[in-house]
Amino acid sequence: MKNTRLVFSTDPKDNVRCPKCKQLQTECNCVPEDSVTDGQYTVIFRLEKGGRGGKTVTVMDGFPRNEEFLKNLAKELKAKCGVGGTHILSPKSGIIEIQGDKRDQLKKILESKRIKYKGV
């Protein structure tokens, strides 16, 4: 085998790819997952009923767009409230939806985690 080295390549396999979306790093639109620190954001509470078959859902909007953080926090909130729910990455922020009107329980949990919130 000859001693050769790659000087330039247009082969996409030679370029670095994003581990999440598998696109080239230069074409990747993923939001970098920075570490989430306390006090950087304020969560906004709201109750939604429309389009959900008459069921009430507590929506918390304004979380950072960090998939791992949202997933773990939503799991913890659902377990402590004893209900179902989900997390959503919107283009601007992270959203956690919890089934039922659980505002009082959720506020206590967020206070213990030192996460600021607004809304009733």
Side-chain angles (χ1 to χ4, degrees):
M1 180 179 220
K2 291 200 284 184
N3 288 337
T4 62
R5 64 185 176 109
L6 182 64
V7 177
F8 179 79
S9 175
T10 56
D11 186 8
K13 293 178 184 175
D14 292 336
N15 295 322
V16 179
R17 294 191 175 271
C18 175
K20 286 186 174 183
C21 63
K22 306 296 183 206
Q23 292 186 8
L24 295 175
Q25 201 72 14
T26 56
E27 299 170 2
C28 175
N29 293 327
C30 295
V31 176
E33 289 189 3
D34 298 330
S35 62
V36 178
T37 57
D38 298 329
Q40 281 187 333
Y41 53 91
T42 302
V43 176
I44 300 168
F45 276 89
R46 67 177 182 267
L47 286 178
E48 290 185 0
K49 209 172 187 181
R52 300 178 190 274
K55 310 265 184 190
T56 304
V57 176
T58 304
V59 179
M60 294 175 286
D61 193 359
F63 287 105
R65 292 193 75 242
N66 185 323
E67 178 78 27
E68 192 67 28
F69 171 76
L70 273 180
K71 181 179 176 182
N72 293 334
L73 183 60
K75 183 176 180 179
E76 180 183 348
L77 294 175
K78 293 186 301 184
K80 287 187 177 179
C81 292
V83 295
T86 187
H87 67 280
I88 302 166
L89 281 178
S90 71
K92 294 183 180 178
S93 66
I95 300 171
I96 295 179
E97 296 180 351
I98 301 293
Q99 295 174 353
D101 185 0
K102 303 290 183 182
R103 291 176 289 183
D104 294 334
Q105 291 177 339
L106 293 170
K107 287 178 183 179
K108 288 178 185 175
I109 296 168
L110 293 180
E111 283 175 356
S112 69
K113 294 183 160 295
R114 296 188 317 239
I115 297 175
K116 294 186 237 173
Y117 58 85
K118 288 184 192 176
V120 176

